[in-house]
Amino acid sequence: MGKKKWIPVLLAFLIGVSAGVLFVLPGLQKRTDVFLQDFSVSRDGSTVTVETFSVGSMGFIRSMEAKQIGGEIHCSFYGAFGGLNSRFGAKSRFEIQVDDSAERIYFDRGTGLDQLVLERDTGTGLWTFPSPLPQ
């Protein structure tokens, strides 16, 4: 095959790779603009289901990663695949596995200071929204 016949093949390959990167890249980026809308707790208390929303003007949430550190659970969220405002793989409801040692749930803000979104009442053991004023 001559040198000139490889140019269209190479161009098609580069366009395909570029389109693939543009499709996948948003799904690998953390979303730090996610807030808690509502939550529910399973009957046995082992799972907290959070309903979330993003305040950003573009993009949707795809997945959540929760890590427990002592009594704190820190949640990080990731954008949907497919481009700037794609809904491909988008979700808003996520389950967080909790045990008896879990006391607080935080959402990642990307600043090193995560935001407290839920806490377990020490008296009743029930999950509640945090008090807006220090007690």
Side-chain angles (χ1 to χ4, degrees), residues 4-25:
K4 289 189 178 195
K5 292 189 181 197
W6 279 99
I7 292 175
V9 172
L10 180 61
L11 232 81
F13 174 76
L14 291 174
I15 290 170
V17 167
S18 298
V21 166
L22 290 174
F23 180 82
V24 172
L25 193 60

Side-chain angles (χ1 to χ4, degrees), residues 5-100:
K5 292 189 181 197
W6 279 99
I7 292 175
V9 172
L10 180 61
L11 232 81
F13 174 76
L14 291 174
I15 290 170
V17 167
S18 298
V21 166
L22 290 174
F23 180 82
V24 172
L25 193 60
L28 302 176
Q29 295 176 338
K30 279 190 179 182
R31 300 283 315 233
T32 57
D33 61 347
V34 177
F35 289 86
L36 180 64
Q37 182 171 350
D38 200 7
F39 74 97
S40 62
V41 181
S42 64
R43 289 187 188 265
D44 65 0
S46 66
T47 304
V48 174
T49 302
V50 293
E51 184 75 31
T52 62
F53 69 96
S54 172
V55 296
S57 62
M58 294 187 77
F60 295 88
I61 308 161
R62 170 184 60 88
S63 71
M64 179 198 72
E65 178 183 28
K67 293 183 181 178
Q68 185 165 349
I69 303 167
E72 299 178 348
I73 298 174
H74 294 265
C75 303
S76 296
F77 297 89
Y78 296 89
F81 291 117
L84 294 176
N85 213 22
S86 172
R87 291 180 184 243
F88 190 75
K91 292 173 35 177
S92 61
R93 181 173 290 159
F94 302 96
E95 292 184 351
I96 303 169
Q97 301 301 315
V98 296
D99 58 25
D100 292 336

